[in-house]
Amino acid sequence: MRMYDIIMKKRDGYALSTEEINYFIENYTNGLIPDYQVSALLMAIYLNKMDKRETLDLTKAIINSGDTFDLSKINGIKVDKHSTGGVGDTTTLILGPMVAACGVPFVKMSGRGLGHTGGTLDKLESIKGFRVELDNEEFEEIANTINISICSQTGNITPADKKLYALRDVTATVDNISLITASIMSKKLAIESDGIILDVKVGSGAFMKNIDDAVRLAKEMVDIGNLYGRKTVALVTNMDEPLGKAVGNALEIKEAIDTLKGKGPEDLYELTLVLGSKLLYLAEKVDNEIDGRNMLIEAVNSGKAFEKFKELVRYQGGDVSYIENPELLPKAKYVLEVKSNVEGYVKAINAEEVGKCALALGAGRETKESIIDMAAGIVLNKKVDDKVEIGETLAYVHGNDLNKAEEVKNRLLNIFVIGEKNQEAKKLIYDEIN
Ligand code: URA
Ligand code: CA
């Protein structure tokens, strides 16, 4: 087999065979095929697309390029949750304890944030002492003791994806449905959970900017998950404005605590309930999603979900007093108020721009090596469709660098679009794919 012939075949619009896909992934991972040939193939795939069988083969080949993670030593039916990435997406921190409090194991290997989107591991590390680096035995033991554990990925999982993703990033071949599906699903399927729930984000803060594309991506991912033999469902949800109110590491931990106590932002709580009820149903804990929803609400109202979060923090080495008293969490030196100079209704709050503001304050990573300012971030006081008076606070800027905080304050004033009331009320969930 020759890479040249594989490139030519895809260039001319034909489907690649299973053997051809395996050949190129295996030899690219080993370093035997150079980047320039794979770049050409990626562009051919981008332009001529892959069918479902090819996408499944590509996903499998990427999984086989490295190790898989066996969860069989953890008791119960394990359902993994994955969000395609957004701004202020605090759901994992709320969903995990809620589901675990209902008796369903929630075990997750999470990632760190890069660019304008945050990562669950970084947020957890704003709690003093919290350890995200666990070895496999520790991860299994904690999960079996308290039903929940969240750690960083260990081992050599999907090395082909790391190389391919870096190459796609610099060759304008990221936004292709098959390539995205194989990239995301290979990483999810390499962790051997019993089910997968996907939260596909769409809007200004997501990499899918329109609903049709997001639904197409969600359907493809659900198909590939199910064809691989894993129960997979997806939601397509709004990322036009940030989720909840807080964007930033310690600020989102505080938001998670509030929500677990039943005092969080409505959209964040609602999305967690919808994801959670699907998760309890997938894990066969309830016969239908309505029972699941009620069980989750009960876990919050009884205080069990909040207790579960404290247990997670304690078992992973964190200082629980930070959770009991969030005032102890890292705090910014300056908190500036962004005040409206017009009256009307909030029409839009571009989530990507808010994410970039948080990044400028130090809440995120410009590069993999950047050090995060745990205290920095933004808290929205108004959300889309809210009424605003002149002089009312739109948002709070939390920063340790006064110049940067002032600059972000001015940027935010332009990010809030205020005017006539929107014709249609905003939607949180656009579609469900079961
Ligand atoms: N996230 C991924 O992990 N892969 C993609 O291709 C796109 C987003
Ligand atoms: Ca949030």
Side-chain angles (χ1 to χ4, degrees):
M1 217 174 282
R2 291 196 316 158
M3 187 62 181
Y4 181 93
D5 299 323
I6 296 175
I7 297 168
M8 190 165 66
K9 191 170 172 186
K10 189 41 94 182
R11 181 200 71 188
D12 294 342
Y14 298 101
L16 302 178
S17 70
T18 308
E19 293 71 30
E20 286 161 341
I21 290 170
N22 288 340
Y23 172 86
F24 118 70
I25 291 296
E26 214 177 290
N27 290 296
Y28 182 49
T29 311
N30 295 340
L32 297 175
I33 299 176
D35 281 352
Y36 52 81
Q37 282 191 307
V38 176
S39 300
L41 180 60
L42 287 171
M43 188 55 80
I45 291 171
Y46 185 91
L47 295 171
N48 289 328
K49 308 198 167 50
M50 280 185 143
D51 64 25
K52 214 172 287 283
R53 196 267 311 147
E54 290 176 283
T55 307
L56 180 63
D57 283 341
L58 180 62
T59 308
K60 286 180 178 167
I62 297 174
I63 295 170
N64 293 335
S65 72
D67 302 333
T68 55
F69 196 92
D70 175 12
L71 295 178
S72 64
K73 290 205 187 100
I74 297 169
N75 307 322
I77 301 178
K78 280 91 45 187
V79 180
D80 200 356
K81 174 253 174 190
H82 178 76
S83 149
T84 59
V87 176
D89 186 358
T90 321
T91 44
T92 295
L93 294 168
I94 302 158
L95 181 68
M98 273 166 64
V99 165
C102 293
V104 169
F106 187 90
V107 291
K108 194 158 163 54
M109 296 192 161
S110 277
R112 296 191 181 274
L114 189 61
H116 73 276
T117 59
T120 300
L121 298 183
D122 299 319
K123 296 171 196 177
L124 285 168
E125 282 181 343
S126 68
I127 303 165
K128 190 178 160 212
F130 197 100
R131 288 190 305 122
V132 298
E133 318 276 344
L134 305 177
D135 63 39
N136 296 356
E137 288 72 35
E138 217 175 353
F139 179 61
E140 287 160 1
E141 195 185 319
I142 295 172
N144 280 330
T145 312
I146 61 170
N147 252 352
I148 180 168
S149 185
I150 301 175
C151 72
S152 66
Q153 209 173 70
T154 55
N156 183 32
I157 292 183
T158 61
D161 177 65
K162 290 195 182 77
K163 289 187 78 172
L164 284 172
Y165 196 62
L167 199 55
R168 286 165 59 209
D169 210 20
V170 293
T171 55
T173 52
V174 168
D175 53 340
N176 168 275
I177 298 240
S178 293
L179 295 175
I180 297 172
T181 297
S183 168
I184 294 178
M185 292 308 288
S186 62
K187 284 177 280 203
K188 288 288 105 186
L189 295 165
I191 315 272
E192 295 172 345
S193 63
D194 302 290
I196 299 170
I197 179 156
L198 300 164
D199 180 5
V200 178
K201 302 286 189 194
V202 57
S204 64
F207 68 91
M208 287 282 137
K209 305 289 182 199
N210 77 69
I211 298 172
D212 289 347
D213 286 346
V215 170
R216 220 170 294 134
L217 174 64
K219 284 190 170 147
E220 187 74 2
M221 290 199 291
V222 166
D223 279 349
I224 294 300
N226 287 317
L227 285 170
Y228 192 81
R230 208 69 62 76
K231 277 194 257 179
T232 309
V233 301
L235 290 176
V236 176
T237 72
N238 185 338
M239 191 34 77
D240 257 334
E241 65 176 340
L243 190 61
K245 294 190 165 174
V247 181
N249 298 283
L251 295 169
E252 286 185 58
I253 291 288
K254 172 138 190 334
E255 181 171 64
I257 293 169
D258 289 342
T259 310
L260 284 165
K261 289 179 165 179
K263 295 181 294 196
E266 229 173 276
D267 58 343
L268 181 57
Y269 188 44
E270 177 59 26
L271 180 59
T272 311
L273 289 174
V274 175
L275 287 166
S277 53
K278 286 193 175 296
L279 208 153
L280 294 188
Y281 178 70
L282 271 185
E284 298 170 15
K285 185 73 187 173
V286 290
D287 295 330
N288 58 65
E289 290 175 21
I290 295 168
D291 288 352
R293 186 183 178 93
N294 291 331
M295 191 181 266
L296 292 162
I297 292 172
E298 172 57 23
V300 169
N301 292 346
S302 65
K304 282 188 192 142
F306 178 60
E307 284 305 315
K308 189 53 80 178
F309 187 49
K310 286 202 319 202
E311 228 170 9
L312 169 70
V313 170
R314 187 178 321 120
Y315 272 75
Q316 292 196 206
D319 185 340
V320 179
S321 64
Y322 279 59
I323 307 306
E324 286 162 343
N325 178 14
E327 290 297 303
L328 294 173
L329 288 165
K331 254 200 201 144
K333 226 186 285 176
Y334 307 100
V335 181
L336 309 183
E337 281 181 71
V338 183
K339 292 191 177 194
S340 181
N341 43 29
V342 289
E343 73 164 79
Y345 288 86
V346 180
K347 292 179 76 69
I349 310 170
N350 185 299
E352 183 170 357
E353 293 301 320
V354 175
K356 286 182 180 163
C357 284
L359 185 61
L361 291 166
R365 282 190 188 81
E366 302 269 3
T367 69
K368 276 187 188 144
E369 287 74 35
S370 315
I371 293 178
I372 288 184
D373 181 345
M374 291 295 180
I378 291 153
V379 178
L380 306 177
N381 192 47
K382 295 285 179 182
K383 299 255 305 180
V384 170
D385 291 347
D386 284 353
K387 176 126 185 41
V388 178
E389 305 291 345
I390 291 175
E392 260 195 298
T393 303
L394 298 172
Y396 300 91
V397 178
H398 293 243
N400 283 314
D401 178 324
L402 188 57
N403 289 332
K404 281 188 189 154
E406 291 282 2
E407 190 190 310
V408 163
K409 182 180 148 181
N410 293 330
R411 274 167 75 179
L412 278 169
L413 200 54
N414 292 317
I415 291 168
F416 275 82
V417 181
I418 296 169
E420 299 274 300
K421 198 170 181 174
N422 283 337
Q423 294 279 331
E424 274 179 51
K426 66 185 175 188
K427 265 179 115 163
L428 180 63
I429 294 164
Y430 295 111
D431 208 347
E432 294 188 20
I433 292 111
N434 291 314

